[in-house]
Amino acid sequence: MNRRLLLLLTWCLGVLAIYPRALSQTEHCRVKISLIDHVTKKPVPGVIRVLFKGDQEGMPIKGLLERGQGVGSVALQQLGTLPPRRTIHDWYVLTGPTEVLLPRKPIRIEAFSGLETELVHLSTDLTMRSHTSIELPLKTFSQVTNKNWFAGNTHLHLFKLSRKNADRYLREIPQGDRLDILFTSHLIRPSEDAHYISNRYSIGDLRQFWSSGVLINHGEEHRHNLAPWAEGYGHVMLLNIKKVIEPVSIGPGITGAGNDGTPLQQGINEAHRQGGTAIWCHNDLGLERVPNIVNGNVDAQNIFDGYSVEQYPQYESTFYHYLNAGFRVPFSTGTDWFLFDLSRVYAQVEGTLEIATWLEALRKGRSFITNGPLLHFFVENQPIGGTVSLTAASPISVEGQALGRRNFGNLELVHNGNVIDKVSSQQEQQHFRARIQKKILIKEPGWMALRVSSQTNTEYGLPIFAHTSAIYIEVGGKSIRQSNAVAYLKREIEAARHQVSTKAIFGTVSERKMILDVYDTSLLALANKGESSTP
């Protein structure tokens, strides 16, 4: 009797083990999904989402990596960076033809690849199918990569992932986003160091990921805060360096120990000695920001890296002051906590794409930032980052264009910080275009740039932005130097110096002098830069 009971129990357990698998095969269809280039018919990486007919929210796709991996984590919500859930969580990465299980119901599949393809969608009914194959041809509407414009993200940390999942993240998500360059970063925040999995990588090139088609370099975020999560001297990315620059984080506001007696300028100078590049983080964050820009220590300025566009000051209140005061600061961007959007900086490389050649292009100002529209801009046939030299006042030709998958609103021409022309985007097939082509009379030195002004969000749920670095205009051998912009920067430095002198903690009188010298030398440099060319 016991033997019969044992056999019966064994049979029941076997049935229970097989039943979910059989049920899964009955309720699901095996679908091999491929994203292909509509011209070459070759597979391309990208992202997909699957929705039931009539639904607005995508369904989970087992086996694929969710594009919103890590986005909406508790840490990000505490920072006020992101809401708990956005449409990014509906999308999944597809790095090649892959078989997945999808419900045997009517569904809609959507897909895109990077910023250069249109959105493709396909409706199909899987109700009567057990297996099938689906190809989604992606149509490219831009050829910026063919003109040596390569997309990079200059600021990335990964948080609360296992090393295995972090490796998968770096192999798949940048590839699915069609990034060409990615800079991860070492940082120190003792209370949370154990959770920063990106700290486990070694400084330098992470060649183990290059087979994905994305060049990844691990740099450092050199930083100082006067108090936890509060402003301090600032944060700066040190990229393509040879070794960690100590101290990585400065002051008790971050480390809980020591004092504020080390300027960021010291670490920036060491990075330059190592052949590295210094990119200021987080828009206008940091008391040492303006002094380092005035002293020529900053190679580029990250805009909108780490927060939503609405949470940052806009271009006019920050970046245009540098340009109007005569400082040539290229625009750059990154995402900071995970790749939570499509944000990137395109740099036009001369020759072969390498970490060093891409950073050289960025330092020279051959760049534009975007999370959607792709920009094209020339002034008198000079490209972004170039200089137009006029002997006297004269008309100049301007040619600009924006192309985007989503309706980006208006394309705007900016001259010395003022919008002087604006055109609305127009739909062409499944993408949008706006063009500016005109002659403009130039009477004084200055700069020009293109930007978009949009009320639309990206596919991942954040506001669209795009802005070129400047093209500079010299007249009679003079560059722009507006007295009101110079006065603004002077006030910024003086206010920062006062805050540092009253709030920072110094161990010695010489430390205090070393810190305040950063501000005093920049004030002197600002005063000695030359006479204003414009009021």
PDB file of all heavy atoms in Angstrom, residues 320 322-328 415-417 444-447 472-475 478-482 529 531-534:
ATOM      1  N   TYR A 320      25.040  80.862 -21.772  1.00  0.00           N
ATOM      2  CA  TYR A 320      25.241  81.967 -22.692  1.00  0.00           C
ATOM      3  C   TYR A 320      26.117  83.057 -22.086  1.00  0.00           C
ATOM      4  O   TYR A 320      26.768  83.810 -22.810  1.00  0.00           O
ATOM      5  CB  TYR A 320      23.897  82.544 -23.133  1.00  0.00           C
ATOM      6  CG  TYR A 320      23.045  81.604 -23.973  1.00  0.00           C
ATOM      7  CD1 TYR A 320      21.728  81.920 -24.286  1.00  0.00           C
ATOM      8  CD2 TYR A 320      23.561  80.404 -24.455  1.00  0.00           C
ATOM      9  CE1 TYR A 320      20.941  81.075 -25.055  1.00  0.00           C
ATOM     10  CE2 TYR A 320      22.788  79.546 -25.223  1.00  0.00           C
ATOM     11  CZ  TYR A 320      21.468  79.887 -25.514  1.00  0.00           C
ATOM     12  OH  TYR A 320      20.693  79.040 -26.274  1.00  0.00           O
ATOM     13  N   TYR A 322      28.893  82.542 -20.424  1.00  0.00           N
ATOM     14  CA  TYR A 322      30.280  82.189 -20.752  1.00  0.00           C
ATOM     15  C   TYR A 322      30.615  82.662 -22.160  1.00  0.00           C
ATOM     16  O   TYR A 322      31.655  83.291 -22.409  1.00  0.00           O
ATOM     17  CB  TYR A 322      30.515  80.684 -20.703  1.00  0.00           C
ATOM     18  CG  TYR A 322      30.055  79.954 -19.486  1.00  0.00           C
ATOM     19  CD1 TYR A 322      29.609  78.642 -19.581  1.00  0.00           C
ATOM     20  CD2 TYR A 322      30.071  80.550 -18.222  1.00  0.00           C
ATOM     21  CE1 TYR A 322      29.188  77.941 -18.474  1.00  0.00           C
ATOM     22  CE2 TYR A 322      29.653  79.848 -17.106  1.00  0.00           C
ATOM     23  CZ  TYR A 322      29.205  78.547 -17.237  1.00  0.00           C
ATOM     24  OH  TYR A 322      28.793  77.848 -16.152  1.00  0.00           O
ATOM     25  N   LEU A 323      29.738  82.303 -23.096  1.00  0.00           N
ATOM     26  CA  LEU A 323      29.999  82.615 -24.502  1.00  0.00           C
ATOM     27  C   LEU A 323      30.021  84.121 -24.734  1.00  0.00           C
ATOM     28  O   LEU A 323      30.880  84.632 -25.472  1.00  0.00           O
ATOM     29  CB  LEU A 323      28.939  81.956 -25.382  1.00  0.00           C
ATOM     30  CG  LEU A 323      28.869  80.421 -25.305  1.00  0.00           C
ATOM     31  CD1 LEU A 323      27.678  79.906 -26.103  1.00  0.00           C
ATOM     32  CD2 LEU A 323      30.155  79.788 -25.802  1.00  0.00           C
ATOM     33  N   ASN A 324      29.105  84.847 -24.117  1.00  0.00           N
ATOM     34  CA  ASN A 324      29.056  86.299 -24.300  1.00  0.00           C
ATOM     35  C   ASN A 324      30.238  87.004 -23.654  1.00  0.00           C
ATOM     36  O   ASN A 324      30.597  88.117 -24.053  1.00  0.00           O
ATOM     37  CB  ASN A 324      27.751  86.864 -23.734  1.00  0.00           C
ATOM     38  CG  ASN A 324      26.557  86.561 -24.617  1.00  0.00           C
ATOM     39  OD1 ASN A 324      26.707  86.254 -25.799  1.00  0.00           O
ATOM     40  ND2 ASN A 324      25.363  86.614 -24.044  1.00  0.00           N
ATOM     41  N   ALA A 325      30.850  86.358 -22.656  1.00  0.00           N
ATOM     42  CA  ALA A 325      32.041  86.934 -22.022  1.00  0.00           C
ATOM     43  C   ALA A 325      33.322  86.542 -22.761  1.00  0.00           C
ATOM     44  O   ALA A 325      34.409  86.968 -22.367  1.00  0.00           O
ATOM     45  CB  ALA A 325      32.137  86.489 -20.568  1.00  0.00           C
ATOM     46  N   GLY A 326      33.182  85.734 -23.827  1.00  0.00           N
ATOM     47  CA  GLY A 326      34.340  85.401 -24.645  1.00  0.00           C
ATOM     48  C   GLY A 326      34.990  84.074 -24.335  1.00  0.00           C
ATOM     49  O   GLY A 326      36.094  83.802 -24.819  1.00  0.00           O
ATOM     50  N   PHE A 327      34.332  83.217 -23.562  1.00  0.00           N
ATOM     51  CA  PHE A 327      34.905  81.910 -23.224  1.00  0.00           C
ATOM     52  C   PHE A 327      34.281  80.836 -24.113  1.00  0.00           C
ATOM     53  O   PHE A 327      33.055  80.700 -24.160  1.00  0.00           O
ATOM     54  CB  PHE A 327      34.683  81.593 -21.746  1.00  0.00           C
ATOM     55  CG  PHE A 327      35.372  82.556 -20.843  1.00  0.00           C
ATOM     56  CD1 PHE A 327      34.671  83.601 -20.255  1.00  0.00           C
ATOM     57  CD2 PHE A 327      36.738  82.451 -20.600  1.00  0.00           C
ATOM     58  CE1 PHE A 327      35.305  84.513 -19.437  1.00  0.00           C
ATOM     59  CE2 PHE A 327      37.379  83.368 -19.790  1.00  0.00           C
ATOM     60  CZ  PHE A 327      36.671  84.403 -19.203  1.00  0.00           C
ATOM     61  N   ARG A 328      35.115  80.096 -24.794  1.00  0.00           N
ATOM     62  CA  ARG A 328      34.658  79.088 -25.741  1.00  0.00           C
ATOM     63  C   ARG A 328      34.502  77.753 -25.007  1.00  0.00           C
ATOM     64  O   ARG A 328      35.461  76.988 -24.878  1.00  0.00           O
ATOM     65  CB  ARG A 328      35.622  78.980 -26.919  1.00  0.00           C
ATOM     66  CG  ARG A 328      35.743  80.291 -27.691  1.00  0.00           C
ATOM     67  CD  ARG A 328      36.504  80.140 -28.987  1.00  0.00           C
ATOM     68  NE  ARG A 328      36.477  81.365 -29.776  1.00  0.00           N
ATOM     69  CZ  ARG A 328      36.854  81.458 -31.043  1.00  0.00           C
ATOM     70  NH1 ARG A 328      37.332  80.381 -31.666  1.00  0.00           N
ATOM     71  NH2 ARG A 328      36.784  82.606 -31.688  1.00  0.00           N
ATOM     72  N   HIS A 415      21.719  84.012 -31.653  1.00  0.00           N
ATOM     73  CA  HIS A 415      22.856  84.891 -31.927  1.00  0.00           C
ATOM     74  C   HIS A 415      23.153  85.696 -30.664  1.00  0.00           C
ATOM     75  O   HIS A 415      22.298  86.455 -30.184  1.00  0.00           O
ATOM     76  CB  HIS A 415      22.541  85.830 -33.094  1.00  0.00           C
ATOM     77  CG  HIS A 415      23.637  86.809 -33.394  1.00  0.00           C
ATOM     78  ND1 HIS A 415      23.399  88.139 -33.654  1.00  0.00           N
ATOM     79  CD2 HIS A 415      24.983  86.648 -33.468  1.00  0.00           C
ATOM     80  CE1 HIS A 415      24.540  88.761 -33.876  1.00  0.00           C
ATOM     81  NE2 HIS A 415      25.518  87.876 -33.763  1.00  0.00           N
ATOM     82  N   ASN A 416      24.327  85.479 -30.098  1.00  0.00           N
ATOM     83  CA  ASN A 416      24.736  86.184 -28.864  1.00  0.00           C
ATOM     84  C   ASN A 416      23.699  86.046 -27.746  1.00  0.00           C
ATOM     85  O   ASN A 416      23.435  86.974 -26.990  1.00  0.00           O
ATOM     86  CB  ASN A 416      25.023  87.662 -29.149  1.00  0.00           C
ATOM     87  CG  ASN A 416      26.218  87.847 -30.053  1.00  0.00           C
ATOM     88  OD1 ASN A 416      26.886  86.890 -30.438  1.00  0.00           O
ATOM     89  ND2 ASN A 416      26.502  89.094 -30.417  1.00  0.00           N
ATOM     90  N   GLY A 417      23.079  84.869 -27.690  1.00  0.00           N
ATOM     91  CA  GLY A 417      22.126  84.577 -26.624  1.00  0.00           C
ATOM     92  C   GLY A 417      20.688  84.902 -26.924  1.00  0.00           C
ATOM     93  O   GLY A 417      19.802  84.605 -26.117  1.00  0.00           O
ATOM     94  N   GLU A 444      29.083  93.152 -35.295  1.00  0.00           N
ATOM     95  CA  GLU A 444      29.978  93.057 -34.147  1.00  0.00           C
ATOM     96  C   GLU A 444      30.343  91.597 -33.892  1.00  0.00           C
ATOM     97  O   GLU A 444      29.659  90.685 -34.380  1.00  0.00           O
ATOM     98  CB  GLU A 444      29.296  93.642 -32.907  1.00  0.00           C
ATOM     99  CG  GLU A 444      28.006  92.930 -32.548  1.00  0.00           C
ATOM    100  CD  GLU A 444      27.228  93.635 -31.459  1.00  0.00           C
ATOM    101  OE1 GLU A 444      27.391  94.854 -31.290  1.00  0.00           O
ATOM    102  OE2 GLU A 444      26.441  92.951 -30.772  1.00  0.00           O
ATOM    103  N   PRO A 445      31.398  91.350 -33.131  1.00  0.00           N
ATOM    104  CA  PRO A 445      31.805  89.978 -32.833  1.00  0.00           C
ATOM    105  C   PRO A 445      30.700  89.241 -32.077  1.00  0.00           C
ATOM    106  O   PRO A 445      29.873  89.855 -31.392  1.00  0.00           O
ATOM    107  CB  PRO A 445      33.046  90.150 -31.959  1.00  0.00           C
ATOM    108  CG  PRO A 445      33.521  91.530 -32.210  1.00  0.00           C
ATOM    109  CD  PRO A 445      32.309  92.346 -32.523  1.00  0.00           C
ATOM    110  N   GLY A 446      30.717  87.918 -32.187  1.00  0.00           N
ATOM    111  CA  GLY A 446      29.701  87.151 -31.474  1.00  0.00           C
ATOM    112  C   GLY A 446      29.814  85.663 -31.703  1.00  0.00           C
ATOM    113  O   GLY A 446      30.888  85.130 -32.003  1.00  0.00           O
ATOM    114  N   TRP A 447      28.680  84.996 -31.591  1.00  0.00           N
ATOM    115  CA  TRP A 447      28.599  83.551 -31.794  1.00  0.00           C
ATOM    116  C   TRP A 447      27.179  83.204 -32.214  1.00  0.00           C
ATOM    117  O   TRP A 447      26.244  83.959 -31.981  1.00  0.00           O
ATOM    118  CB  TRP A 447      28.976  82.785 -30.516  1.00  0.00           C
ATOM    119  CG  TRP A 447      28.150  83.139 -29.304  1.00  0.00           C
ATOM    120  CD1 TRP A 447      28.385  84.134 -28.407  1.00  0.00           C
ATOM    121  CD2 TRP A 447      26.933  82.510 -28.883  1.00  0.00           C
ATOM    122  NE1 TRP A 447      27.402  84.174 -27.448  1.00  0.00           N
ATOM    123  CE2 TRP A 447      26.498  83.182 -27.700  1.00  0.00           C
ATOM    124  CE3 TRP A 447      26.165  81.450 -29.357  1.00  0.00           C
ATOM    125  CZ2 TRP A 447      25.336  82.820 -27.018  1.00  0.00           C
ATOM    126  CZ3 TRP A 447      25.002  81.080 -28.678  1.00  0.00           C
ATOM    127  CH2 TRP A 447      24.614  81.765 -27.513  1.00  0.00           C
ATOM    128  N   TYR A 472      31.811  80.650 -33.825  1.00  0.00           N
ATOM    129  CA  TYR A 472      32.254  81.966 -33.348  1.00  0.00           C
ATOM    130  C   TYR A 472      32.467  82.917 -34.520  1.00  0.00           C
ATOM    131  O   TYR A 472      32.859  82.504 -35.617  1.00  0.00           O
ATOM    132  CB  TYR A 472      33.527  81.807 -32.527  1.00  0.00           C
ATOM    133  CG  TYR A 472      33.341  80.832 -31.383  1.00  0.00           C
ATOM    134  CD1 TYR A 472      33.708  79.497 -31.519  1.00  0.00           C
ATOM    135  CD2 TYR A 472      32.760  81.235 -30.190  1.00  0.00           C
ATOM    136  CE1 TYR A 472      33.504  78.587 -30.497  1.00  0.00           C
ATOM    137  CE2 TYR A 472      32.553  80.336 -29.155  1.00  0.00           C
ATOM    138  CZ  TYR A 472      32.930  79.013 -29.315  1.00  0.00           C
ATOM    139  OH  TYR A 472      32.718  78.116 -28.294  1.00  0.00           O
ATOM    140  N   ILE A 473      32.207  84.192 -34.273  1.00  0.00           N
ATOM    141  CA  ILE A 473      32.326  85.218 -35.316  1.00  0.00           C
ATOM    142  C   ILE A 473      33.257  86.322 -34.816  1.00  0.00           C
ATOM    143  O   ILE A 473      32.986  86.965 -33.796  1.00  0.00           O
ATOM    144  CB  ILE A 473      30.952  85.811 -35.675  1.00  0.00           C
ATOM    145  CG1 ILE A 473      29.989  84.699 -36.106  1.00  0.00           C
ATOM    146  CG2 ILE A 473      31.096  86.859 -36.776  1.00  0.00           C
ATOM    147  CD1 ILE A 473      28.555  85.159 -36.230  1.00  0.00           C
ATOM    148  N   GLU A 474      34.357  86.519 -35.535  1.00  0.00           N
ATOM    149  CA  GLU A 474      35.287  87.604 -35.230  1.00  0.00           C
ATOM    150  C   GLU A 474      35.102  88.718 -36.254  1.00  0.00           C
ATOM    151  O   GLU A 474      34.879  88.455 -37.444  1.00  0.00           O
ATOM    152  CB  GLU A 474      36.725  87.098 -35.274  1.00  0.00           C
ATOM    153  CG  GLU A 474      37.041  86.054 -34.217  1.00  0.00           C
ATOM    154  CD  GLU A 474      38.459  85.517 -34.324  1.00  0.00           C
ATOM    155  OE1 GLU A 474      39.134  85.820 -35.347  1.00  0.00           O
ATOM    156  OE2 GLU A 474      38.902  84.790 -33.411  1.00  0.00           O
ATOM    157  N   VAL A 475      35.160  89.943 -35.787  1.00  0.00           N
ATOM    158  CA  VAL A 475      35.045  91.103 -36.672  1.00  0.00           C
ATOM    159  C   VAL A 475      36.240  92.014 -36.414  1.00  0.00           C
ATOM    160  O   VAL A 475      36.463  92.445 -35.275  1.00  0.00           O
ATOM    161  CB  VAL A 475      33.730  91.873 -36.434  1.00  0.00           C
ATOM    162  CG1 VAL A 475      33.662  93.092 -37.351  1.00  0.00           C
ATOM    163  CG2 VAL A 475      32.525  90.964 -36.664  1.00  0.00           C
ATOM    164  N   LYS A 478      38.569  90.979 -33.585  1.00  0.00           N
ATOM    165  CA  LYS A 478      38.071  90.963 -32.208  1.00  0.00           C
ATOM    166  C   LYS A 478      37.021  89.879 -32.014  1.00  0.00           C
ATOM    167  O   LYS A 478      36.205  89.618 -32.904  1.00  0.00           O
ATOM    168  CB  LYS A 478      37.463  92.318 -31.837  1.00  0.00           C
ATOM    169  CG  LYS A 478      38.486  93.434 -31.678  1.00  0.00           C
ATOM    170  CD  LYS A 478      37.810  94.696 -31.167  1.00  0.00           C
ATOM    171  CE  LYS A 478      38.828  95.815 -30.931  1.00  0.00           C
ATOM    172  NZ  LYS A 478      38.173  97.029 -30.384  1.00  0.00           N
ATOM    173  N   SER A 479      37.039  89.273 -30.827  1.00  0.00           N
ATOM    174  CA  SER A 479      36.018  88.309 -30.414  1.00  0.00           C
ATOM    175  C   SER A 479      35.046  88.992 -29.464  1.00  0.00           C
ATOM    176  O   SER A 479      35.331  90.057 -28.908  1.00  0.00           O
ATOM    177  CB  SER A 479      36.670  87.113 -29.718  1.00  0.00           C
ATOM    178  OG  SER A 479      37.591  86.471 -30.562  1.00  0.00           O
ATOM    179  N   ILE A 480      33.917  88.338 -29.263  1.00  0.00           N
ATOM    180  CA  ILE A 480      32.904  88.904 -28.372  1.00  0.00           C
ATOM    181  C   ILE A 480      33.416  88.973 -26.927  1.00  0.00           C
ATOM    182  O   ILE A 480      34.139  88.096 -26.460  1.00  0.00           O
ATOM    183  CB  ILE A 480      31.605  88.071 -28.428  1.00  0.00           C
ATOM    184  CG1 ILE A 480      30.486  88.767 -27.638  1.00  0.00           C
ATOM    185  CG2 ILE A 480      31.837  86.646 -27.930  1.00  0.00           C
ATOM    186  CD1 ILE A 480      29.129  88.118 -27.799  1.00  0.00           C
ATOM    187  N   ARG A 481      33.048  90.049 -26.262  1.00  0.00           N
ATOM    188  CA  ARG A 481      33.308  90.188 -24.827  1.00  0.00           C
ATOM    189  C   ARG A 481      32.340  91.233 -24.284  1.00  0.00           C
ATOM    190  O   ARG A 481      32.660  92.421 -24.170  1.00  0.00           O
ATOM    191  CB  ARG A 481      34.757  90.601 -24.567  1.00  0.00           C
ATOM    192  CG  ARG A 481      35.088  90.700 -23.072  1.00  0.00           C
ATOM    193  CD  ARG A 481      36.582  90.883 -22.871  1.00  0.00           C
ATOM    194  NE  ARG A 481      36.898  91.362 -21.548  1.00  0.00           N
ATOM    195  CZ  ARG A 481      36.936  90.623 -20.443  1.00  0.00           C
ATOM    196  NH1 ARG A 481      36.642  89.336 -20.519  1.00  0.00           N
ATOM    197  NH2 ARG A 481      37.249  91.134 -19.276  1.00  0.00           N
ATOM    198  N   GLN A 482      31.145  90.790 -23.959  1.00  0.00           N
ATOM    199  CA  GLN A 482      30.119  91.712 -23.500  1.00  0.00           C
ATOM    200  C   GLN A 482      30.358  92.073 -22.035  1.00  0.00           C
ATOM    201  O   GLN A 482      30.533  91.191 -21.182  1.00  0.00           O
ATOM    202  CB  GLN A 482      28.737  91.089 -23.668  1.00  0.00           C
ATOM    203  CG  GLN A 482      28.306  90.924 -25.114  1.00  0.00           C
ATOM    204  CD  GLN A 482      26.897  90.385 -25.244  1.00  0.00           C
ATOM    205  OE1 GLN A 482      26.253  90.049 -24.241  1.00  0.00           O
ATOM    206  NE2 GLN A 482      26.405  90.299 -26.467  1.00  0.00           N
ATOM    207  N   LYS A 529      41.424  89.919 -19.274  1.00  0.00           N
ATOM    208  CA  LYS A 529      41.165  89.247 -20.544  1.00  0.00           C
ATOM    209  C   LYS A 529      41.132  90.207 -21.728  1.00  0.00           C
ATOM    210  O   LYS A 529      41.362  89.817 -22.862  1.00  0.00           O
ATOM    211  CB  LYS A 529      39.845  88.472 -20.485  1.00  0.00           C
ATOM    212  CG  LYS A 529      39.683  87.479 -21.627  1.00  0.00           C
ATOM    213  CD  LYS A 529      38.436  86.648 -21.431  1.00  0.00           C
ATOM    214  CE  LYS A 529      38.383  85.523 -22.461  1.00  0.00           C
ATOM    215  NZ  LYS A 529      38.273  86.020 -23.824  1.00  0.00           N
ATOM    216  N   GLU A 531      39.623  94.303 -23.294  1.00  0.00           N
ATOM    217  CA  GLU A 531      38.523  95.262 -23.310  1.00  0.00           C
ATOM    218  C   GLU A 531      37.273  94.639 -23.934  1.00  0.00           C
ATOM    219  O   GLU A 531      37.354  93.800 -24.815  1.00  0.00           O
ATOM    220  CB  GLU A 531      38.927  96.505 -24.119  1.00  0.00           C
ATOM    221  CG  GLU A 531      40.044  97.319 -23.472  1.00  0.00           C
ATOM    222  CD  GLU A 531      39.655  97.858 -22.109  1.00  0.00           C
ATOM    223  OE1 GLU A 531      38.489  98.295 -21.966  1.00  0.00           O
ATOM    224  OE2 GLU A 531      40.487  97.824 -21.194  1.00  0.00           O
ATOM    225  N   SER A 532      36.141  95.085 -23.483  1.00  0.00           N
ATOM    226  CA  SER A 532      34.879  94.601 -24.033  1.00  0.00           C
ATOM    227  C   SER A 532      34.731  95.060 -25.481  1.00  0.00           C
ATOM    228  O   SER A 532      35.020  96.213 -25.817  1.00  0.00           O
ATOM    229  CB  SER A 532      33.700  95.121 -23.205  1.00  0.00           C
ATOM    230  OG  SER A 532      33.786  94.653 -21.887  1.00  0.00           O
ATOM    231  N   SER A 533      34.293  94.112 -26.340  1.00  0.00           N
ATOM    232  CA  SER A 533      34.064  94.468 -27.740  1.00  0.00           C
ATOM    233  C   SER A 533      32.649  94.980 -27.952  1.00  0.00           C
ATOM    234  O   SER A 533      32.367  95.642 -28.939  1.00  0.00           O
ATOM    235  CB  SER A 533      34.298  93.241 -28.627  1.00  0.00           C
ATOM    236  OG  SER A 533      33.392  92.210 -28.292  1.00  0.00           O
ATOM    237  N   THR A 534      31.747  94.632 -27.019  1.00  0.00           N
ATOM    238  CA  THR A 534      30.355  95.071 -27.130  1.00  0.00           C
ATOM    239  C   THR A 534      29.864  95.458 -25.755  1.00  0.00           C
ATOM    240  O   THR A 534      30.355  94.971 -24.746  1.00  0.00           O
ATOM    241  CB  THR A 534      29.475  93.933 -27.692  1.00  0.00           C
ATOM    242  OG1 THR A 534      29.713  92.742 -26.930  1.00  0.00           O
ATOM    243  CG2 THR A 534      29.785  93.661 -29.139  1.00  0.00           C
TER     244      THR A 534
END
